[in-house]
Structure formats: C-alpha cells, structure tokens
Amino acid sequence: MLKKSTIFVICAGLFCQPVLASRLVENALVEHAGQELDSAKALLIKTVNINSGTMNFAGVKEVGDIMRQEYDALGFKTEWVDGSEFNRAGHLVATYESSTHPTGTKLLLIGHLDTVFAKDDNFQSAKEINSEHIAGPGISDMKGGNVIMLAAIKSLKAQNMLQRLNIKVVLTGDEESSGRPLAKSKKALVDAAKWADVALGFEDADGDIRTAVTARRGAATWQVTTSGNAAHSSQIFTEKVGDGAIFEMARILQAFRLQLAELPLLSFNPGVIAGGTRVTPNKGGDEVTAFGKTNVVAQSATVKGGLRAASEEQLIEAQKIMQEVVSQHLAQTDATFTFDDGYPPMKETKGNKSLLAQYSQVSVDLGYGPVSAVNPRNAGAADISFTAGHVKMAIDGLGLMGDGGHTKEEVADMTTFKQNIEKTAVLMYRLSNP
C-alpha cells in the first residue's frame, strides 16, 4: 500500500477529492498485484521452461502464443509478425486502443521472447533455489519483464483504468541476435515507437532494483582484413617482402587501442582473430580457421570485433578514427575495414530524465526508495534503443532483477517481482492522468 506518511494534500473545498481518489486507485492497483502474484509466478515459470533460444523458431513462437492468449483475454488486438524476411521467428504485437480516451497517453511496452540459450543447451528449466530466488534460462533476461508488464496491465484492467490509456506491447523474437536487415527486423518496434508518446522497457537493467536506464550505448561490429607478401621468414622486413599481414594487423589493433581509449564511455573489443598463409572465416566471421608456418611470412589476417558508443556522434567519430588508422600501411601490406551498425545509442534526454523522476517518485511513494539512472557504461544494448529517437520520453530496466544473465548461473531475485509489478502499474496509471 502507499505510505500515508508520503501523502501531503492541501484541500480547498472539494479540491482534494481527486487527489484522494487517485490514491485510492493506486492502493487498489497495489492490492490487486499482490492477489495475482501466484498466477504471475506460474506464468513466468511456464515460459522459462520453454526453450526459446533466438534460432529455435518453434520455441520462440510457442512462448509468443502463450503471451498472445494472455493479451487476447484482456481485449488487446494481437498480431504475429512473421520473421521469415529477416531469418527469425518473428514478433508479437498487442494493441489496446481506448474507445473512451482515444487521445489518451500512448504507451509502448517493450519485451523480448528469445533467450541466448540454444535448443540443445543443457540449461533448460526453472529451479526454485529458495523463497526469494529462482534460477532459469532467460528468467531475468527477460521473461520476468514480459510477465511484469502483463501483470501491471491486468491490475489496471481490474480497476477499470486500462481504458484511460492506449498501449502497444511489442515482444520481439530476436533481441539477443537481431535478424537482418535491421530495417525489416526492427520495423514493428520502430513503427510502434512512432505511434507512441512514451516507451517503457522491461529488461533487468544492471540487476539493481534501485536503478533504471535513461541512456544506453549503441552496439556495432567491425572487421579488418590485412594482406602481405608470402615469403620465407628470413626475408621479412626487406624492401621486397615487407612486414607481413600479422604485423600490419598488430599495428592497426594497437593504434585502435591507443586512439579509441580517449573517447569517454566508448569501448572497443577485438573478439576473434586469425592470421597465416591461409585464413578462412565462416560466413558471419565468428569462426575462423587459419594455416601458417613459423618460417613463412603471413599472407593474410582477419579480426572481427564489437564497439559500443554513447551517442551517434561518437559512433561516427570512432568509425572515422578507425578508417584513418587502417588506411596507413606498413611496408608491402594492405588492409580493408568494414563497419556494420547494429543497435543505435539511446541518448539521455530531458524527457528520459523526467520519466525517471516520475518512476522514482512512484517507488518512493510505495516505500521502496528512490531510483537512479544506471551508468551507461554498465548498460548493454537493448531493443528500446531503436525507439528512443521517436518518443518524447523513454526508460528501461523495469523488469525482474537478477544475476548471471547470459550464463547458466542466471538467477532471478523474486523480491523484485512484486515490487516492479506494483511500480509499473502505478506509473502507467499516473501517466494516464492529463
């Protein structure tokens, strides 16, 4: 229940009645959340026990079908967006447009159905560790968030407050590994953002209930390929043979390290590398085989990595620096550079800060204490980044908190489950007020 001690009302005639009525509604939302907690937990475990690794299309679709039934029962219009054009299972979009408040606040709620755990992974089911912790694949990232937003909507509907809002829920099937081209795989999300006023993401942020996300760094991939003259190693560094492909690659990576390190909040990581007489990467470049000999100057080398930037401007600056480094060659070598944009940065805005302040006030009023912004250095890329440039305000990290995400040690802190259902329901109600 809302703490009475946090309510300060100065009444003038009947002025205080709407304020008190709002408090009564919020108390009822909190009470309903508690009543539905067991069913919400059961739904969470049910979906966690279905493998929905990104490339397990049948599993992603099965979780989507379960959530679709839930939204159908609430009166939402649901649609499965087929993902065949971008080589993924697809997305679930659920829309509620109020007949009584057609111009009311438009909310976009964002989740995802997929996990990082493949179909044949041995981490396949939920396990209750104790009364406060449940382990399971994708339980905090982010099937818990999917259930939190649904439970909050159920609370609003039970108090006849859902009709004050217009809502689109987008549960993507490729957040952990985006389909390509991005223009097609993220179209449903971007279209919903263009429709919405406010975007709420239900990832688990940095696993801390006292934080939420107002800014995320963008994520991109890059690849460098170098070439040199194959020759007997005794002739390396000569005018005719030159320095070879591996030394050229070493020069480039060291220059990247020195020059990119100066950009605040930017991180750059070479993830896979190989060099020698013959280098053969797979189609995606994530697996590379190489052959070489110690007495032969390397003819080829390749490296693929990732880069995270705090803003679009910083992303462009980093790309320019990297291109300039690659264009300067050691003797008798050459190099090529490719840069592939992925998740755009979610830039911190006044609107995002304002929304966080509202969310923090909800948390304080519920007795859970203030919520502060996550350091963008600690926030990975997420689907909300594709929407942030289209809405007035956005925050993420409203989901189920936990530890060990993306590993077999993923464990949810279930004390945050009820808290964030309550906070979401009350925040959505307050956003519905004119």
Side-chain angles (χ1 to χ4, degrees):
M1 294 295 181
L2 293 168
K3 285 186 174 181
K4 292 183 179 180
S5 60
T6 64
I7 303 173
F8 300 97
V9 180
I10 300 175
C11 294
L14 298 178
F15 174 75
C16 65
Q17 289 185 7
V19 177
L20 294 176
S22 294
R23 298 302 186 188
L24 290 174
V25 171
E26 293 179 3
N27 283 338
L29 291 172
V30 170
E31 183 177 356
H32 186 271
Q35 294 170 353
E36 295 294 322
L37 197 60
D38 288 343
S39 62
K41 177 182 173 182
L43 178 63
L44 172 61
I45 292 175
K46 181 179 181 179
T47 57
V48 169
N49 284 336
I50 299 170
N51 178 279
S52 58
T54 306
M55 301 310 293
N56 178 11
F57 293 177
V60 173
K61 184 67 162 55
E62 185 178 355
V63 176
D65 286 342
I66 291 171
M67 302 306 292
R68 185 174 191 172
Q69 293 172 20
E70 294 285 340
Y71 282 103
D72 283 340
L74 290 169
F76 280 64
K77 179 182 178 181
T78 59
E79 175 190 6
W80 182 259
V81 179
D82 180 70
S84 57
E85 287 191 318
F86 46 92
N87 191 33
R88 293 296 184 268
H91 316 308
L92 176 64
V93 178
T95 304
Y96 179 86
E97 292 183 296
S98 174
S99 59
T100 59
H101 292 72
T103 60
T105 303
K106 296 177 180 178
L107 297 182
L108 168 59
L109 310 185
I110 304 167
H112 64 84
L113 304 165
D114 62 320
T115 74
V116 299
F117 301 97
K119 187 176 181 179
D120 60 355
D121 200 292
N122 59 14
F123 188 42
Q124 292 283 3
S125 58
K127 178 182 179 181
E128 295 197 42
I129 298 173
N130 53 46
S131 61
E132 296 183 350
H133 297 90
I134 301 177
I139 190 165
S140 62
D141 187 13
M142 66 165 292
K143 292 177 179 179
N146 297 340
V147 176
I148 283 174
M149 70 174 82
L150 176 67
I153 290 171
K154 286 183 176 180
S155 292
L156 287 163
K157 185 175 178 63
Q159 304 308 317
N160 295 317
M161 292 297 154
L162 185 59
Q163 61 191 340
R164 296 162 63 100
L165 289 162
N166 297 280
I167 300 172
K168 278 189 184 292
V169 175
V170 179
L171 303 180
T172 63
D174 68 341
E175 196 275 345
E176 299 294 1
S177 178
S178 294
R180 301 287 170 154
L182 287 175
K184 291 184 177 180
S185 70
K186 303 305 177 184
K187 185 178 186 303
L189 198 58
V190 172
D191 286 349
K194 291 177 179 178
W195 169 89
D197 301 312
V198 178
L200 303 176
F202 289 82
E203 293 277 3
D204 64 343
D206 62 349
D208 188 342
I209 190 70
R210 299 167 298 180
T211 65
V213 179
T214 56
R216 285 188 179 276
R217 295 184 299 165
T221 58
W222 53 271
Q223 189 160 4
V224 175
T225 301
T226 60
S227 61
N229 293 327
H232 194 284
S233 62
S234 64
Q235 300 304 300
I236 194 169
F237 308 137
T238 62
E239 183 177 348
K240 181 179 180 180
V241 173
D243 292 20
I246 289 179
F247 272 117
E248 169 68 347
M249 185 65 77
R251 175 196 71 80
I252 290 170
L253 292 179
Q254 178 65 355
F256 282 177
R257 170 70 182 88
L258 294 175
Q259 296 186 42
L260 295 177
E262 299 177 1
L263 303 181
L265 294 178
L266 182 135
S267 60
F268 127 87
N269 176 59
V272 59
I273 186 171
T277 304
R278 183 175 64 253
V279 175
T280 309
N282 68 359
K283 185 176 181 181
D286 297 329
E287 183 177 324
V288 186
T289 59
F291 169 81
K293 299 184 72 174
T294 59
N295 62 352
V296 178
V297 177
Q299 185 174 21
S300 303
T302 184
V303 62
K304 184 178 181 181
L307 183 144
R308 296 178 184 270
S311 67
E312 189 67 29
E313 295 79 10
Q314 189 180 69
L315 198 64
I316 293 170
E317 182 181 4
Q319 185 177 359
K320 182 179 179 181
I321 289 171
M322 295 171 81
Q323 185 66 66
E324 178 64 24
V325 167
V326 172
S327 68
Q328 303 169 20
H329 307 302
L330 295 178
Q332 299 296 327
T333 67
D334 199 2
T336 60
F337 171 68
T338 58
F339 194 86
D340 185 14
D341 292 344
Y343 281 74
M346 175 186 175
K347 192 173 183 178
E348 187 167 64
T349 65
K350 290 182 179 179
N352 295 359
K353 291 180 179 180
S354 174
L355 184 56
L356 174 63
Q358 294 177 64
Y359 183 60
S360 180
Q361 188 60 55
V362 168
S363 183
V364 169
D365 290 347
L366 289 170
Y368 296 132
V371 179
S372 60
V374 171
N375 184 336
R377 192 68 169 76
N378 300 329
D383 276 339
I384 197 169
S385 296
F386 288 98
T387 74
H390 302 289
V391 293
K392 296 175 183 176
M393 54 183 70
I395 58 171
D396 202 354
L398 279 60
L400 179 61
M401 302 296 130
D403 293 313
H406 287 203
T407 76
K408 292 178 173 60
E409 305 300 321
E410 185 172 357
V411 177
D413 177 359
M414 296 304 292
T415 65
T416 68
F417 194 48
K418 181 173 181 288
Q419 286 187 42
N420 278 0
I421 293 173
E422 294 174 0
K423 286 154 63 176
T424 299
V426 173
L427 175 65
M428 290 173 66
Y429 169 68
R430 292 188 184 179
L431 290 171
S432 75
N433 290 320

